[in-house]
Amino acid sequence: MNDQHERAVEAVLFAATEPLTVDAIRSHAGDGDVRVALARLKGRYRGRGIELVERGGRWQFQTAPDLAHLLRRDRDEIRKLSRAGIETLAIIAYHEPVTRAEIEAIRGVQTARGTLDVLMEAGWVRPAARRDAPGRPLTFATTPEFLSHFGLGSRRDLPGIDDLRAAGLLEPADLAFDELTVVNQREDD
Amino acid sequence: MNDQHERAVEAVLFAATEPLTVDAIRSHAGDGDVRVALARLKGRYRGRGIELVERGGRWQFQTAPDLAHLLRRDRDEIRKLSRAGIETLAIIAYHEPVTRAEIEAIRGVQTARGTLDVLMEAGWVRPAARRDAPGRPLTFATTPEFLSHFGLGSRRDLPGIDDLRAAGLLEPADLAFDELTVVNQREDD
Amino acid sequence: MNGVPEQLTLDLDGFEGPLDLLLSLARAQKVDLREISILDLVEQYLAHIDEARVLQLDVAADYLVMAAWLAYLKSALLLPREPEVEQDADDLALRLQMRLERLELMRQAGDWLVARDRIGRDVFTRGAPEGLHVVRKAFWSVEYYDLLSAYGRATARSRPVLHLVPDREVVTLEVALTRLAALLGTVPDWRAIEHFLPVVHGAALRRSALASSFVAALELARQGRADLRQDGPFSPLYLRRTTV
């Protein structure tokens, strides 16, 4: 019963407390083509008050964006990010994995201690691997929650990211050069 | 616009943290006949993986009852019992009912708190009567599951001490010693 | 109280570092960042900093560092055209322009991000999800053999250890000593030790008699009652009563 499987996928996604990968869905919904079921469900909910979306390979139901005004009432406002926080988040999203020094090189200013903490506390940024460079600095990257929170299917949905990458503007080597010029200038002083 | 109202009701119910009265739904979803929208939605979700239900005048989405089992997935894990666990189990089997202190006296080492817990969790050991002795210590005994796991009809099927000795299972230390003397004699030859 | 410096202080405070100030000045040129006149930009920036200096304001070190670097860039850009130097200055100017462009892009991306349909603000997930649960059932596995050998192992640790040495016929040292002392009195001259051994049956008992008699001979020699002689290693051992 194909339809039975689609029902199962629907129920599992509804019950889930977080976005689910296809594998996670399969482990609960049992045998059947999960992708086919997801595609059908996505179509079925199109234009409804609820929609099925994929974020970074994870699937979830959420309310339709155009109904936001009805639902926002009574809810706590999302804590507003500082300008530095927004900028830092964008830089990490475009350049990940990226070190703190590289973030500072792009912004041309030191990053306040709290800025990265706030992003990590929100669950949007996580420490990633250490860079294989002198001092082995820690790098930072975005999380699946970042994609989900901002409604991104993947990082490729970030505007212009492919162009920037093609232009070589997202290369760590390029950033390192900027950093170097800043440091050299400081030492010249 | 009727459909728009239905969408709103759908989204409101989906996002609600608790079942909502018709009035509560109206206060969020705005003007429109909430009851009509609810009836339509109920029909729309009939036979799906989720359904819209009313309980005591409050409405909510819930997983279709026949799919509830999907939300609870059992995973079997085969785990090996620790050495201490096996020894403790064996002592209980041979000496039951036996107190913790007696087990420790036989093993010659203290029994970690978790060891007996694991055996009880496995269903092989149960607390038995209290010993009529100072402190009235609890005794432990094996269960029918223990017998069936090891294919025993009763505890009498456990090999006796002589059988164990004959099988070389009883005194591994002495066994090793015997082997050593044999080797020495051979070297004499 | 002078109103003007305060205003200027605020002016600089409003910027997040020198790059931010440069970017704001560049935006004021109202052209695409790629078309920007770096020279104009540098002059505006330096004018800004100079003004702050004239007013004796504290200017953060970062801004001064950037000012020094921009002053260097300006002079390099204005230098008479020497092929290598010119290349270098143009390259630096291009890099500065690219840095500004990238910062601008990141700013726009940040604005774009926060304007997205965000969960908890614009879109909402299910308010009361039932949740998915994985119930782990542990199956413990033990083999019957492991159970039995564990019992042997455990009980062996506490069971009193009894070592049985099988009874064996021996010629004790006492017997050998008495016999040898008595015999020595009857033999006046050197005799091999074998001569003094009791007649016994079995190779093991014979070896025992030899060993005990040998030790007995050593003991008598120590007491000064017997002399021992051996001509070389493993050659026959001779005994006689000590002659005074």
mmCIF file with all atom_site columns, all heavy atoms in Angstrom, chain B residues 71-89:
data_model
loop_
_atom_site.group_PDB
_atom_site.id
_atom_site.type_symbol
_atom_site.label_atom_id
_atom_site.label_alt_id
_atom_site.label_comp_id
_atom_site.label_asym_id
_atom_site.label_entity_id
_atom_site.label_seq_id
_atom_site.pdbx_PDB_ins_code
_atom_site.Cartn_x
_atom_site.Cartn_y
_atom_site.Cartn_z
_atom_site.occupancy
_atom_site.B_iso_or_equiv
_atom_site.pdbx_formal_charge
_atom_site.auth_seq_id
_atom_site.auth_comp_id
_atom_site.auth_asym_id
_atom_site.auth_atom_id
_atom_site.pdbx_PDB_model_num
ATOM 1   N N   . LEU B 1 71 ? 5.573  6.065   15.990 1.00 0.00 ? 71 LEU B N   1
ATOM 2   C CA  . LEU B 1 71 ? 6.242  7.110   16.764 1.00 0.00 ? 71 LEU B CA  1
ATOM 3   C C   . LEU B 1 71 ? 7.141  6.516   17.840 1.00 0.00 ? 71 LEU B C   1
ATOM 4   O O   . LEU B 1 71 ? 7.966  7.193   18.421 1.00 0.00 ? 71 LEU B O   1
ATOM 5   C CB  . LEU B 1 71 ? 5.206  8.040   17.418 1.00 0.00 ? 71 LEU B CB  1
ATOM 6   C CG  . LEU B 1 71 ? 4.124  8.552   16.465 1.00 0.00 ? 71 LEU B CG  1
ATOM 7   C CD1 . LEU B 1 71 ? 3.282  9.602   17.169 1.00 0.00 ? 71 LEU B CD1 1
ATOM 8   C CD2 . LEU B 1 71 ? 4.737  9.130   15.204 1.00 0.00 ? 71 LEU B CD2 1
ATOM 9   N N   . ARG B 1 72 ? 6.928  5.244   18.080 1.00 0.00 ? 72 ARG B N   1
ATOM 10  C CA  . ARG B 1 72 ? 7.735  4.560   19.084 1.00 0.00 ? 72 ARG B CA  1
ATOM 11  C C   . ARG B 1 72 ? 8.445  3.424   18.397 1.00 0.00 ? 72 ARG B C   1
ATOM 12  O O   . ARG B 1 72 ? 7.848  2.426   18.057 1.00 0.00 ? 72 ARG B O   1
ATOM 13  C CB  . ARG B 1 72 ? 6.831  3.978   20.168 1.00 0.00 ? 72 ARG B CB  1
ATOM 14  C CG  . ARG B 1 72 ? 7.055  4.507   21.541 1.00 0.00 ? 72 ARG B CG  1
ATOM 15  C CD  . ARG B 1 72 ? 6.145  3.743   22.464 1.00 0.00 ? 72 ARG B CD  1
ATOM 16  N NE  . ARG B 1 72 ? 6.742  2.455   22.790 1.00 0.00 ? 72 ARG B NE  1
ATOM 17  C CZ  . ARG B 1 72 ? 7.335  2.214   23.937 1.00 0.00 ? 72 ARG B CZ  1
ATOM 18  N NH1 . ARG B 1 72 ? 7.392  3.126   24.860 1.00 0.00 ? 72 ARG B NH1 1
ATOM 19  N NH2 . ARG B 1 72 ? 7.866  1.040   24.174 1.00 0.00 ? 72 ARG B NH2 1
ATOM 20  N N   . ARG B 1 73 ? 9.681  3.624   18.157 1.00 0.00 ? 73 ARG B N   1
ATOM 21  C CA  . ARG B 1 73 ? 10.424 2.600   17.431 1.00 0.00 ? 73 ARG B CA  1
ATOM 22  C C   . ARG B 1 73 ? 11.299 1.849   18.420 1.00 0.00 ? 73 ARG B C   1
ATOM 23  O O   . ARG B 1 73 ? 12.031 2.449   19.195 1.00 0.00 ? 73 ARG B O   1
ATOM 24  C CB  . ARG B 1 73 ? 11.294 3.257   16.361 1.00 0.00 ? 73 ARG B CB  1
ATOM 25  C CG  . ARG B 1 73 ? 12.029 2.292   15.490 1.00 0.00 ? 73 ARG B CG  1
ATOM 26  C CD  . ARG B 1 73 ? 12.525 3.021   14.267 1.00 0.00 ? 73 ARG B CD  1
ATOM 27  N NE  . ARG B 1 73 ? 13.355 4.151   14.650 1.00 0.00 ? 73 ARG B NE  1
ATOM 28  C CZ  . ARG B 1 73 ? 14.672 4.085   14.734 1.00 0.00 ? 73 ARG B CZ  1
ATOM 29  N NH1 . ARG B 1 73 ? 15.302 2.979   14.482 1.00 0.00 ? 73 ARG B NH1 1
ATOM 30  N NH2 . ARG B 1 73 ? 15.367 5.148   15.073 1.00 0.00 ? 73 ARG B NH2 1
ATOM 31  N N   . ASP B 1 74 ? 11.180 0.551   18.380 1.00 0.00 ? 74 ASP B N   1
ATOM 32  C CA  . ASP B 1 74 ? 12.030 -0.258  19.254 1.00 0.00 ? 74 ASP B CA  1
ATOM 33  C C   . ASP B 1 74 ? 13.310 -0.603  18.526 1.00 0.00 ? 74 ASP B C   1
ATOM 34  O O   . ASP B 1 74 ? 13.297 -0.907  17.343 1.00 0.00 ? 74 ASP B O   1
ATOM 35  C CB  . ASP B 1 74 ? 11.314 -1.562  19.635 1.00 0.00 ? 74 ASP B CB  1
ATOM 36  C CG  . ASP B 1 74 ? 10.150 -1.279  20.567 1.00 0.00 ? 74 ASP B CG  1
ATOM 37  O OD1 . ASP B 1 74 ? 10.140 -0.185  21.153 1.00 0.00 ? 74 ASP B OD1 1
ATOM 38  O OD2 . ASP B 1 74 ? 9.268  -2.135  20.676 1.00 0.00 ? 74 ASP B OD2 1
ATOM 39  N N   . ARG B 1 75 ? 14.360 -0.503  19.233 1.00 0.00 ? 75 ARG B N   1
ATOM 40  C CA  . ARG B 1 75 ? 15.631 -0.916  18.633 1.00 0.00 ? 75 ARG B CA  1
ATOM 41  C C   . ARG B 1 75 ? 16.287 -1.940  19.541 1.00 0.00 ? 75 ARG B C   1
ATOM 42  O O   . ARG B 1 75 ? 16.483 -1.698  20.725 1.00 0.00 ? 75 ARG B O   1
ATOM 43  C CB  . ARG B 1 75 ? 16.552 0.278   18.437 1.00 0.00 ? 75 ARG B CB  1
ATOM 44  C CG  . ARG B 1 75 ? 17.634 -0.040  17.422 1.00 0.00 ? 75 ARG B CG  1
ATOM 45  C CD  . ARG B 1 75 ? 18.299 1.182   16.923 1.00 0.00 ? 75 ARG B CD  1
ATOM 46  N NE  . ARG B 1 75 ? 19.304 1.639   17.860 1.00 0.00 ? 75 ARG B NE  1
ATOM 47  C CZ  . ARG B 1 75 ? 19.926 2.789   17.758 1.00 0.00 ? 75 ARG B CZ  1
ATOM 48  N NH1 . ARG B 1 75 ? 19.640 3.607   16.795 1.00 0.00 ? 75 ARG B NH1 1
ATOM 49  N NH2 . ARG B 1 75 ? 20.835 3.141   18.622 1.00 0.00 ? 75 ARG B NH2 1
ATOM 50  N N   . ASP B 1 76 ? 16.566 -3.081  18.952 1.00 0.00 ? 76 ASP B N   1
ATOM 51  C CA  . ASP B 1 76 ? 17.188 -4.140  19.746 1.00 0.00 ? 76 ASP B CA  1
ATOM 52  C C   . ASP B 1 76 ? 18.692 -3.971  19.739 1.00 0.00 ? 76 ASP B C   1
ATOM 53  O O   . ASP B 1 76 ? 19.299 -3.754  18.705 1.00 0.00 ? 76 ASP B O   1
ATOM 54  C CB  . ASP B 1 76 ? 16.839 -5.511  19.158 1.00 0.00 ? 76 ASP B CB  1
ATOM 55  C CG  . ASP B 1 76 ? 15.349 -5.770  19.235 1.00 0.00 ? 76 ASP B CG  1
ATOM 56  O OD1 . ASP B 1 76 ? 14.680 -5.035  19.981 1.00 0.00 ? 76 ASP B OD1 1
ATOM 57  O OD2 . ASP B 1 76 ? 14.868 -6.680  18.558 1.00 0.00 ? 76 ASP B OD2 1
ATOM 58  N N   . GLU B 1 77 ? 19.234 -4.056  20.908 1.00 0.00 ? 77 GLU B N   1
ATOM 59  C CA  . GLU B 1 77 ? 20.694 -3.981  21.004 1.00 0.00 ? 77 GLU B CA  1
ATOM 60  C C   . GLU B 1 77 ? 21.178 -5.192  21.770 1.00 0.00 ? 77 GLU B C   1
ATOM 61  O O   . GLU B 1 77 ? 20.749 -5.433  22.893 1.00 0.00 ? 77 GLU B O   1
ATOM 62  C CB  . GLU B 1 77 ? 21.105 -2.716  21.770 1.00 0.00 ? 77 GLU B CB  1
ATOM 63  C CG  . GLU B 1 77 ? 20.961 -1.458  20.952 1.00 0.00 ? 77 GLU B CG  1
ATOM 64  C CD  . GLU B 1 77 ? 21.322 -0.230  21.746 1.00 0.00 ? 77 GLU B CD  1
ATOM 65  O OE1 . GLU B 1 77 ? 21.575 -0.349  22.960 1.00 0.00 ? 77 GLU B OE1 1
ATOM 66  O OE2 . GLU B 1 77 ? 21.349 0.852   21.148 1.00 0.00 ? 77 GLU B OE2 1
ATOM 67  N N   . ILE B 1 78 ? 22.031 -5.939  21.132 1.00 0.00 ? 78 ILE B N   1
ATOM 68  C CA  . ILE B 1 78 ? 22.593 -7.083  21.846 1.00 0.00 ? 78 ILE B CA  1
ATOM 69  C C   . ILE B 1 78 ? 23.863 -6.632  22.535 1.00 0.00 ? 78 ILE B C   1
ATOM 70  O O   . ILE B 1 78 ? 24.765 -6.088  21.916 1.00 0.00 ? 78 ILE B O   1
ATOM 71  C CB  . ILE B 1 78 ? 22.871 -8.241  20.882 1.00 0.00 ? 78 ILE B CB  1
ATOM 72  C CG1 . ILE B 1 78 ? 21.532 -8.708  20.312 1.00 0.00 ? 78 ILE B CG1 1
ATOM 73  C CG2 . ILE B 1 78 ? 23.594 -9.369  21.606 1.00 0.00 ? 78 ILE B CG2 1
ATOM 74  C CD1 . ILE B 1 78 ? 21.567 -10.008 19.586 1.00 0.00 ? 78 ILE B CD1 1
ATOM 75  N N   . ARG B 1 79 ? 23.861 -6.812  23.844 1.00 0.00 ? 79 ARG B N   1
ATOM 76  C CA  . ARG B 1 79 ? 25.029 -6.354  24.604 1.00 0.00 ? 79 ARG B CA  1
ATOM 77  C C   . ARG B 1 79 ? 25.646 -7.522  25.350 1.00 0.00 ? 79 ARG B C   1
ATOM 78  O O   . ARG B 1 79 ? 24.963 -8.429  25.785 1.00 0.00 ? 79 ARG B O   1
ATOM 79  C CB  . ARG B 1 79 ? 24.595 -5.290  25.599 1.00 0.00 ? 79 ARG B CB  1
ATOM 80  C CG  . ARG B 1 79 ? 24.253 -3.980  24.908 1.00 0.00 ? 79 ARG B CG  1
ATOM 81  C CD  . ARG B 1 79 ? 24.211 -2.881  25.910 1.00 0.00 ? 79 ARG B CD  1
ATOM 82  N NE  . ARG B 1 79 ? 22.899 -2.273  25.940 1.00 0.00 ? 79 ARG B NE  1
ATOM 83  C CZ  . ARG B 1 79 ? 22.522 -1.402  26.866 1.00 0.00 ? 79 ARG B CZ  1
ATOM 84  N NH1 . ARG B 1 79 ? 23.332 -1.073  27.846 1.00 0.00 ? 79 ARG B NH1 1
ATOM 85  N NH2 . ARG B 1 79 ? 21.335 -0.870  26.834 1.00 0.00 ? 79 ARG B NH2 1
ATOM 86  N N   . LYS B 1 80 ? 26.922 -7.443  25.490 1.00 0.00 ? 80 LYS B N   1
ATOM 87  C CA  . LYS B 1 80 ? 27.629 -8.495  26.211 1.00 0.00 ? 80 LYS B CA  1
ATOM 88  C C   . LYS B 1 80 ? 27.686 -8.140  27.683 1.00 0.00 ? 80 LYS B C   1
ATOM 89  O O   . LYS B 1 80 ? 27.938 -6.994  28.043 1.00 0.00 ? 80 LYS B O   1
ATOM 90  C CB  . LYS B 1 80 ? 29.051 -8.627  25.660 1.00 0.00 ? 80 LYS B CB  1
ATOM 91  C CG  . LYS B 1 80 ? 29.170 -9.670  24.557 1.00 0.00 ? 80 LYS B CG  1
ATOM 92  C CD  . LYS B 1 80 ? 30.630 -10.036 24.319 1.00 0.00 ? 80 LYS B CD  1
ATOM 93  C CE  . LYS B 1 80 ? 30.897 -11.510 24.551 1.00 0.00 ? 80 LYS B CE  1
ATOM 94  N NZ  . LYS B 1 80 ? 30.258 -12.358 23.565 1.00 0.00 ? 80 LYS B NZ  1
ATOM 95  N N   . LEU B 1 81 ? 27.464 -9.145  28.490 1.00 0.00 ? 81 LEU B N   1
ATOM 96  C CA  . LEU B 1 81 ? 27.549 -8.946  29.925 1.00 0.00 ? 81 LEU B CA  1
ATOM 97  C C   . LEU B 1 81 ? 29.013 -8.825  30.318 1.00 0.00 ? 81 LEU B C   1
ATOM 98  O O   . LEU B 1 81 ? 29.873 -9.508  29.759 1.00 0.00 ? 81 LEU B O   1
ATOM 99  C CB  . LEU B 1 81 ? 26.923 -10.161 30.609 1.00 0.00 ? 81 LEU B CB  1
ATOM 100 C CG  . LEU B 1 81 ? 26.173 -9.943  31.909 1.00 0.00 ? 81 LEU B CG  1
ATOM 101 C CD1 . LEU B 1 81 ? 25.130 -8.868  31.759 1.00 0.00 ? 81 LEU B CD1 1
ATOM 102 C CD2 . LEU B 1 81 ? 25.527 -11.244 32.349 1.00 0.00 ? 81 LEU B CD2 1
ATOM 103 N N   . SER B 1 82 ? 29.288 -7.966  31.297 1.00 0.00 ? 82 SER B N   1
ATOM 104 C CA  . SER B 1 82 ? 30.667 -7.817  31.756 1.00 0.00 ? 82 SER B CA  1
ATOM 105 C C   . SER B 1 82 ? 31.105 -9.079  32.494 1.00 0.00 ? 82 SER B C   1
ATOM 106 O O   . SER B 1 82 ? 30.287 -9.906  32.892 1.00 0.00 ? 82 SER B O   1
ATOM 107 C CB  . SER B 1 82 ? 30.756 -6.625  32.706 1.00 0.00 ? 82 SER B CB  1
ATOM 108 O OG  . SER B 1 82 ? 30.076 -6.927  33.906 1.00 0.00 ? 82 SER B OG  1
ATOM 109 N N   . ARG B 1 83 ? 32.397 -9.192  32.672 1.00 0.00 ? 83 ARG B N   1
ATOM 110 C CA  . ARG B 1 83 ? 32.960 -10.337 33.389 1.00 0.00 ? 83 ARG B CA  1
ATOM 111 C C   . ARG B 1 83 ? 32.392 -10.409 34.809 1.00 0.00 ? 83 ARG B C   1
ATOM 112 O O   . ARG B 1 83 ? 31.993 -11.468 35.291 1.00 0.00 ? 83 ARG B O   1
ATOM 113 C CB  . ARG B 1 83 ? 34.478 -10.153 33.426 1.00 0.00 ? 83 ARG B CB  1
ATOM 114 C CG  . ARG B 1 83 ? 35.227 -11.276 34.049 1.00 0.00 ? 83 ARG B CG  1
ATOM 115 C CD  . ARG B 1 83 ? 36.718 -10.887 34.056 1.00 0.00 ? 83 ARG B CD  1
ATOM 116 N NE  . ARG B 1 83 ? 37.408 -11.657 35.060 1.00 0.00 ? 83 ARG B NE  1
ATOM 117 C CZ  . ARG B 1 83 ? 38.498 -12.370 34.810 1.00 0.00 ? 83 ARG B CZ  1
ATOM 118 N NH1 . ARG B 1 83 ? 39.007 -12.386 33.608 1.00 0.00 ? 83 ARG B NH1 1
ATOM 119 N NH2 . ARG B 1 83 ? 39.085 -13.060 35.766 1.00 0.00 ? 83 ARG B NH2 1
ATOM 120 N N   . ALA B 1 84 ? 32.331 -9.234  35.473 1.00 0.00 ? 84 ALA B N   1
ATOM 121 C CA  . ALA B 1 84 ? 31.776 -9.186  36.828 1.00 0.00 ? 84 ALA B CA  1
ATOM 122 C C   . ALA B 1 84 ? 30.318 -9.634  36.801 1.00 0.00 ? 84 ALA B C   1
ATOM 123 O O   . ALA B 1 84 ? 29.854 -10.337 37.706 1.00 0.00 ? 84 ALA B O   1
ATOM 124 C CB  . ALA B 1 84 ? 31.891 -7.778  37.392 1.00 0.00 ? 84 ALA B CB  1
ATOM 125 N N   . GLY B 1 85 ? 29.601 -9.235  35.757 1.00 0.00 ? 85 GLY B N   1
ATOM 126 C CA  . GLY B 1 85 ? 28.200 -9.586  35.638 1.00 0.00 ? 85 GLY B CA  1
ATOM 127 C C   . GLY B 1 85 ? 28.009 -11.090 35.503 1.00 0.00 ? 85 GLY B C   1
ATOM 128 O O   . GLY B 1 85 ? 27.148 -11.686 36.154 1.00 0.00 ? 85 GLY B O   1
ATOM 129 N N   . ILE B 1 86 ? 28.810 -11.703 34.653 1.00 0.00 ? 86 ILE B N   1
ATOM 130 C CA  . ILE B 1 86 ? 28.695 -13.150 34.440 1.00 0.00 ? 86 ILE B CA  1
ATOM 131 C C   . ILE B 1 86 ? 29.025 -13.893 35.733 1.00 0.00 ? 86 ILE B C   1
ATOM 132 O O   . ILE B 1 86 ? 28.328 -14.823 36.133 1.00 0.00 ? 86 ILE B O   1
ATOM 133 C CB  . ILE B 1 86 ? 29.637 -13.610 33.312 1.00 0.00 ? 86 ILE B CB  1
ATOM 134 C CG1 . ILE B 1 86 ? 29.288 -12.889 32.008 1.00 0.00 ? 86 ILE B CG1 1
ATOM 135 C CG2 . ILE B 1 86 ? 29.514 -15.113 33.103 1.00 0.00 ? 86 ILE B CG2 1
ATOM 136 C CD1 . ILE B 1 86 ? 30.256 -13.185 30.872 1.00 0.00 ? 86 ILE B CD1 1
ATOM 137 N N   . GLU B 1 87 ? 30.083 -13.471 36.407 1.00 0.00 ? 87 GLU B N   1
ATOM 138 C CA  . GLU B 1 87 ? 30.479 -14.138 37.650 1.00 0.00 ? 87 GLU B CA  1
ATOM 139 C C   . GLU B 1 87 ? 29.375 -14.035 38.702 1.00 0.00 ? 87 GLU B C   1
ATOM 140 O O   . GLU B 1 87 ? 29.029 -15.016 39.364 1.00 0.00 ? 87 GLU B O   1
ATOM 141 C CB  . GLU B 1 87 ? 31.767 -13.509 38.194 1.00 0.00 ? 87 GLU B CB  1
ATOM 142 C CG  . GLU B 1 87 ? 33.011 -14.001 37.473 1.00 0.00 ? 87 GLU B CG  1
ATOM 143 C CD  . GLU B 1 87 ? 34.286 -13.466 38.106 1.00 0.00 ? 87 GLU B CD  1
ATOM 144 O OE1 . GLU B 1 87 ? 34.235 -13.019 39.276 1.00 0.00 ? 87 GLU B OE1 1
ATOM 145 O OE2 . GLU B 1 87 ? 35.308 -13.491 37.419 1.00 0.00 ? 87 GLU B OE2 1
ATOM 146 N N   . THR B 1 88 ? 28.837 -12.838 38.825 1.00 0.00 ? 88 THR B N   1
ATOM 147 C CA  . THR B 1 88 ? 27.782 -12.621 39.816 1.00 0.00 ? 88 THR B CA  1
ATOM 148 C C   . THR B 1 88 ? 26.565 -13.486 39.498 1.00 0.00 ? 88 THR B C   1
ATOM 149 O O   . THR B 1 88 ? 25.975 -14.115 40.382 1.00 0.00 ? 88 THR B O   1
ATOM 150 C CB  . THR B 1 88 ? 27.392 -11.130 39.841 1.00 0.00 ? 88 THR B CB  1
ATOM 151 O OG1 . THR B 1 88 ? 28.564 -10.367 40.107 1.00 0.00 ? 88 THR B OG1 1
ATOM 152 C CG2 . THR B 1 88 ? 26.351 -10.857 40.909 1.00 0.00 ? 88 THR B CG2 1
ATOM 153 N N   . LEU B 1 89 ? 26.221 -13.528 38.205 1.00 0.00 ? 89 LEU B N   1
ATOM 154 C CA  . LEU B 1 89 ? 25.083 -14.339 37.781 1.00 0.00 ? 89 LEU B CA  1
ATOM 155 C C   . LEU B 1 89 ? 25.334 -15.811 38.122 1.00 0.00 ? 89 LEU B C   1
ATOM 156 O O   . LEU B 1 89 ? 24.447 -16.512 38.642 1.00 0.00 ? 89 LEU B O   1
ATOM 157 C CB  . LEU B 1 89 ? 24.863 -14.152 36.276 1.00 0.00 ? 89 LEU B CB  1
ATOM 158 C CG  . LEU B 1 89 ? 23.713 -14.953 35.662 1.00 0.00 ? 89 LEU B CG  1
ATOM 159 C CD1 . LEU B 1 89 ? 22.389 -14.535 36.271 1.00 0.00 ? 89 LEU B CD1 1
ATOM 160 C CD2 . LEU B 1 89 ? 23.688 -14.780 34.140 1.00 0.00 ? 89 LEU B CD2 1
#
